[in-house]
Amino acid sequence: MKILFCSDALTIDGVASYILNTGAALKRAGNEVAVIGRWSLKGGFQERYRHEGFKVITCPSVSVGNMYFDVRAKLFRPDVIMTDPRRSFPLASRIKRLTHAPVITYFLDPVEKTDRPGRDIDSLVKYSDVFTAFEPDTLTQLHGLGTSIPVVKMPRPLDVFFAPSEVPSRESFSILCFGRLSRYKTPGIFHLLGNLRAIQNHIPDFVINILGGGGWRFIKLKYYAHKLNKEIGRHCVNVIGTQLDPRRFIESANLVTASATSAMEAAYSMRPVIAMCSGYFGPLRNDNLDEGLRSYFSERYGEKDFSRLIPDILSIYDRYYDDDFRDGLRKISARLGDEFSEIETVKIFDGIMRMIKG
């Protein structure tokens, strides 16, 4: 089976990560996988795509599609095209017209921002053969569109690159802030950095690693970290930037603050997770995991109040060696592993292709 993923610019974001994880699962199942998309002259996942055996078709381009992509797509002769419903969808519909391959449109966000020509609801319905999603509310939205397009729950696999492992010793207690440094995702980080003294008084050897790219906010955080390290009297805040492979940072972390996929990957790795984004969800527990998924781990909603963040960090530190606390981490990891597994993704994809062919 030849699978062609469409990307807008191959930049490191949620779509690129989904392509990497899902594409790797499908490649390991014996399929041929290619990614097509323009190069925006910024760093992306091209290296990791190639390492996983993907064919990468790219070139600098002002528009999302061009004649070079047309030729390469026809030469690849995809059996199916996979695309998100936003920036890369016009490329997918263009390639569908050329190759007549069916299109699986995966929704990583709610059904919104569909007013743009070429990716409006009518276009999505016209050129898609199947809609997929894994968030409960997004699946409900897709069913509510009332179209004849089949809607399938298809998880993104977490176990392609991540694996559960026991938490490290809490000496030099490492807090990892993991995710893109956008305005939407950084309020909690700034609250955390603004209250370092409260952490220092309780955890004298703490370290904060901030992982992710974000333009001028990265520079702002670099300057802020330098100032705070000077005030504290030691180098305790590190602004690391974008990393192609974040696994070693998660493995060495004692606590991860994140949202969306980053939170899922850390929780599956059996690390304590505080879910936060523009709002605050709080520590993930076995009894709030379903609600965590519904909020996409604070990506969709959360309290606009971060006052619980520092007390929650200190509570996790105090309970770190409790058996009940560790058992909770194992249960969360096991539940995520059951639902968001490579085996499940491949099985559902195969079912979709049988349905399309049928």
Side-chain angles (χ1 to χ4, degrees):
M1 182 82 65
K2 289 188 171 185
I3 304 165
L4 180 63
F5 282 92
C6 290
S7 174
D8 174 42
L10 303 178
T11 52
I12 299 175
D13 58 12
V15 172
S17 172
Y18 178 88
I19 293 172
L20 178 66
N21 287 37
T22 304
L26 297 175
K27 180 74 170 63
R28 294 178 192 185
N31 300 289
E32 189 174 346
V33 176
V35 182
I36 188 169
R38 58 182 173 170
W39 180 40
S40 63
L41 307 182
K42 295 180 180 179
F45 270 142
Q46 294 95 317
E47 179 183 331
R48 290 199 67 187
Y49 289 150
R50 292 189 180 100
H51 184 265
E52 293 303 319
F54 297 8
K55 182 187 293 292
V56 178
I57 304 169
T58 187
C59 69
S61 179
V62 175
S63 58
V64 68
N66 56 53
M67 290 185 65
Y68 174 74
F69 288 164
D70 294 347
V71 172
R72 293 296 302 273
K74 285 195 286 187
L75 288 173
F76 183 69
R77 299 177 64 187
D79 295 299
V80 65
I81 300 164
M82 295 189 68
T83 179
D84 74 281
R86 294 187 179 175
R87 292 173 297 182
S88 66
F89 192 82
L91 174 60
S93 57
R94 176 174 174 149
I95 294 173
K96 178 175 184 175
R97 291 192 295 268
L98 291 168
T99 65
H100 307 292
V103 170
I104 299 173
T105 303
Y106 52 86
F107 287 76
L108 305 182
D109 293 295
V111 184
E112 58 186 14
K113 299 180 181 178
T114 56
D115 55 340
R116 301 283 183 87
R119 59 197 211 202
D120 54 280
I121 292 294
D122 288 342
S123 297
L124 294 176
V125 172
K126 180 178 179 180
Y127 291 107
S128 299
D129 294 86
V130 176
F131 290 152
T132 73
F134 57 82
E135 291 183 62
D137 290 351
T138 304
L139 288 164
T140 300
Q141 278 187 310
L142 292 171
H143 283 294
L145 292 177
T147 73
S148 61
I149 307 295
V151 177
V152 179
K153 181 180 180 181
M154 180 174 165
R156 61 173 296 150
L158 296 175
D159 55 355
V160 176
F161 298 114
F162 293 88
S165 62
E166 291 298 323
V167 290
S169 166
R170 72 177 189 183
E171 293 179 11
S172 300
F173 192 78
S174 173
I175 302 170
L176 176 64
C177 301
F178 180 26
R180 185 162 48 90
L181 302 179
S182 64
R183 181 180 67 177
Y184 187 68
K185 295 194 175 189
T186 51
I189 296 176
F190 281 104
H191 181 88
L192 173 62
L193 297 182
N195 291 272
L196 283 192
R197 285 294 179 187
I199 299 177
Q200 175 74 16
N201 292 338
H202 197 88
I203 314 174
D205 60 348
F206 79 91
V207 174
I208 296 174
N209 293 315
I210 301 174
L211 197 66
W216 69 268
R217 280 185 184 80
F218 174 77
I219 298 171
K220 182 178 181 179
L221 281 166
K222 272 278 194 185
Y223 173 77
Y224 195 14
H226 175 75
K227 179 181 175 183
L228 291 170
N229 288 333
K230 201 170 181 180
E231 289 176 2
I232 294 289
R234 64 185 182 89
H235 195 89
C236 55
V237 181
N238 305 296
V239 182
I240 298 166
T242 301
Q243 293 289 307
L244 286 178
D245 190 347
R247 283 176 289 186
R248 64 187 178 92
F249 293 96
I250 292 178
E251 289 168 0
S252 63
N254 299 104
L255 167 64
V256 178
T257 70
S259 67
T261 303
S262 301
M264 294 175 71
E265 291 169 342
Y268 175 65
S269 300
M270 232 167 68
R271 295 298 176 266
V273 172
I274 291 178
M276 64 182 193
C277 194
S278 65
Y280 189 75
F281 183 86
L284 292 185
R285 305 184 306 272
N286 190 41
D287 62 0
N288 72 2
L289 186 60
D290 289 336
E291 186 59 29
L293 179 59
R294 185 165 293 279
S295 74
Y296 200 19
F297 306 101
S298 195
E299 182 86 0
R300 308 298 176 223
Y301 60 83
E303 298 178 11
K304 303 296 181 181
D305 177 8
F306 290 88
S307 60
R308 287 166 42 212
L309 174 57
I310 304 304
D312 283 340
I313 290 174
L314 303 186
S315 174
I316 288 171
Y317 177 81
D318 290 339
R319 299 176 56 229
Y320 195 74
Y321 291 120
D322 291 355
D323 290 339
D324 288 345
F325 179 72
R326 298 286 183 95
D327 188 53
L329 299 180
R330 295 186 188 97
K331 287 178 178 177
I332 291 171
S333 175
R335 287 178 60 187
L336 289 173
D338 287 342
E339 186 169 353
F340 297 92
S341 71
E342 178 177 350
I343 291 173
E344 188 70 10
T345 298
V346 172
K347 181 180 77 173
I348 292 174
F349 173 83
D350 289 344
I352 290 172
M353 294 308 301
R354 285 195 298 271
M355 178 176 62
I356 289 174
K357 290 178 179 178

